[in-house]
Amino acid sequence: MRMTGVTGERVRATARVVAVGAVLMAVADAFRCGNRWYVSTMFGGADSGDYMALDLAAGAFHAMVACLAWVCVALVAAAVGWRLRVVSARTP
């Protein structure tokens, strides 16, 4: 299936918007992960056995996993947009 013209441009623009949005969400989750990890160390760290520190450390881990998922979404969207750009540049 060959996408040319307006349809190809719309899909490429949508892929660009999704990629930028996913990168912004990844950055937000990275900050959230860092903040929760830092605060969990202020409560004595995960080794202290303090339930508050353990809960915050678990939250930091969840934010890190969410950050990695957003990075994967951004990479896929960027690859789709790039592939459509290359294909549309090759077609006469």
Side-chain angles (χ1 to χ4, degrees):
M1 181 171 123
R2 195 174 115 195
M3 289 190 189
T4 59
V6 178
T7 305
E9 292 298 320
R10 284 185 186 171
V11 174
R12 225 172 82 203
T14 302
R16 184 179 300 145
V17 168
V18 169
V20 169
V23 166
L24 292 175
M25 293 298 293
V27 169
D29 278 334
F31 275 110
R32 188 168 57 114
C33 173
N35 287 337
R36 288 187 181 190
W37 174 80
Y38 177 75
V39 172
S40 74
T41 60
M42 293 296 108
F43 284 106
D47 297 333
S48 69
D50 184 17
Y51 289 113
M52 181 77 149
L54 292 174
D55 188 40
L56 287 170
F61 177 74
H62 289 261
M64 181 180 60
V65 170
C67 176
L68 292 174
W70 282 115
V71 166
C72 290
V73 169
L75 288 174
V76 168
V80 166
W82 178 257
R83 180 69 181 151
L84 287 174
R85 180 177 175 267
V86 169
V87 168
S88 65
R90 276 195 237 163
T91 56

